[in-house]
Amino acid sequence: RNWTPIREYEEIRFEFWEGIAKITIDRPRWRNAFTPTTVKELSEAFAIARERADIRVIFLTGAGNMAFCSGGDMHVKGLGGYIDAGGVPRLNILDVQKQIRSIPKPVIALVNGYAIGGGHVLQVVCDLSIASENAVFGQTGPRVGSFDAGFGASYLARVVGQKKAREIWFLCRQYKADEALEMGLVNKVVPFESLEDEGVAWAQEIMRLSALAIRMIKAGLNAELDGQAGIQELAGDATMLYYMTEEAQEGGRAFLEKRAPDFNYNKRPS
Ligand code: 1HA
């Protein structure tokens, strides 16, 4: 596949091919642990992927055959959190989690190895997860002095159930790909060599369907879980669709033409 770079980064790769944007965390030497720079780059890439109409599906993966992502880089973890180049503690990976959830396009995690700690939460918040047979899953927070009580807890529990989520966090065990599949943590497990092919097959199946329908269903699935923020997103989509109606167009036209709107109620669907 002829993946072409969308933008050059230091710690991630951001590429495009036939409707798919691929975001690869590129720090294999550190099992693809993320630093504040990685997080900033991820956030920018997801923002671009959101805006570009020719991007229909997004892959998130890790470089190499060892790790998807091993969470926050422990070398830059100081008091107050992960310290950026300016010395400011930041935990902006939580913003990336929110971006993945609210981006109105499917995000597919291609889990190519260890998905651990904050790296595991990243695969949890993706819409779909395809894992290679060598993938390993788990949280480590209570062992290394951290925890993610946000999506990493509540959304994980929605995915695998309360008992399993508590087991994952309270025991900090590692789970193999087949166990992850069994508990509903991933959608499919394939040999490492077929991981990207499988992802592309899923993406192409999705891209044959209605993008707007998929956007609405993602917003709907989130809305139930995300309270007012989730409903806001679904409502934003409803407003977007309303703008496309003659009725809404007439309201805007009438204002600009300084006349009373003529809402033709006969044409309104009942
Ligand atoms: O919990 C949060 C947050 C919560 C709320 C809000 C924001 C959050 C943001 C982040 C996080 C976290 O991610 S906390 C959890 C941090 N991550 C971990 O606890 C995982 C640490 N890594 C491991 O357990 C293992 O490395 C591994 C199971 C992923 C792989 O094991 P393996 O194959 O035996 O490799 P290993 O030898 O351990 O690692 C290779 C090299 O990569 C090592 O360096 P070297 O000895 O060669 O110099 C290792 O230190 C380095 N490395 C691996 N993971 C990390 C790392 N270096 C820094 N940070 C890492 N996370």
Side-chain angles (χ1 to χ4, degrees):
R1 260 161 228 117
N2 185 21
W3 292 100
T4 49
I6 296 176
R7 190 169 283 198
E8 299 289 341
Y9 289 106
E10 283 171 44
E11 300 189 355
I12 68 168
R13 293 201 305 267
F14 184 30
E15 299 159 301
F16 179 78
W17 177 76
E18 293 191 3
I20 306 171
K22 181 165 69 167
I23 301 175
T24 308
I25 303 177
D26 193 12
R27 303 185 74 237
R29 167 67 182 86
W30 311 109
R31 300 290 186 266
N32 295 321
F34 53 76
T35 69
T37 303
T38 327
V39 173
K40 191 167 159 287
E41 294 178 353
L42 285 173
S43 189
E44 194 180 304
F46 276 108
I48 293 169
R50 181 182 185 121
E51 296 307 323
R52 262 181 60 166
D54 58 342
I55 294 173
R56 295 272 312 273
V57 173
I58 299 147
F59 287 169
L60 179 62
T61 192
N65 61 2
M66 292 299 293
F68 171 76
C69 176
S70 62
D73 189 314
M74 305 293 258
H75 300 101
V76 290
K77 188 172 173 235
L79 270 182
Y82 294 83
I83 312 293
D84 73 5
V88 182
R90 292 180 200 279
L91 290 170
N92 291 356
I93 194 66
L94 301 181
D95 293 339
V96 174
Q97 294 174 6
K98 282 199 276 189
Q99 277 179 294
I100 293 173
R101 274 180 69 82
S102 69
I103 193 166
K105 307 172 186 188
V107 183
I108 304 179
L110 300 181
V111 186
N112 55 313
Y114 284 105
I116 299 286
H120 182 249
V121 179
L122 283 179
Q123 84 82 21
V124 169
V125 297
C126 288
D127 296 295
L128 297 164
S129 295
I130 302 174
S132 53
E133 286 164 352
N134 63 319
V136 177
F137 302 78
Q139 300 300 149
T140 59
R143 187 184 303 128
V144 301
S146 184
F147 59 89
D148 181 346
F151 287 134
S154 55
Y155 188 56
L156 178 69
R158 294 290 186 136
V159 173
V160 298
Q162 284 284 342
K163 296 279 181 191
K164 212 67 201 180
R166 283 162 207 249
E167 174 188 317
I168 290 169
W169 275 103
F170 293 178
L171 283 77
C172 289
R173 283 185 185 163
Q174 292 185 352
Y175 301 86
K176 292 188 181 349
D178 57 341
E179 297 172 276
L181 184 65
E182 202 184 332
M183 65 173 109
L185 200 50
V186 300
N187 297 85
K188 175 125 197 200
V189 177
V190 295
F192 179 81
E193 307 73 50
S194 331
L195 185 58
E196 187 173 290
D197 290 347
E198 188 71 22
V200 166
W202 284 52
Q204 289 176 337
E205 212 171 317
I206 290 169
M207 289 189 285
R208 284 195 287 275
L209 305 175
S210 158
L212 196 49
I214 286 167
R215 175 185 178 129
M216 297 302 293
I217 202 72
K218 177 166 176 174
L221 287 164
N222 287 348
E224 189 228 335
L225 307 179
D226 293 352
Q228 288 195 16
I231 292 169
Q232 186 212 33
E233 280 175 17
L234 187 62
D237 284 344
T239 310
M240 176 188 75
L241 293 175
Y242 172 61
Y243 283 171
M244 295 177 191
T245 66
E246 175 55 30
E247 190 171 322
Q249 293 293 319
E250 167 60 10
R253 258 193 323 262
F255 173 78
L256 292 174
E257 294 168 8
K258 300 189 189 304
R259 59 172 173 80
D262 174 17
F263 292 122
N264 185 341
Y265 290 102
N266 303 329
K267 286 194 193 153
R268 198 173 61 178
S270 50

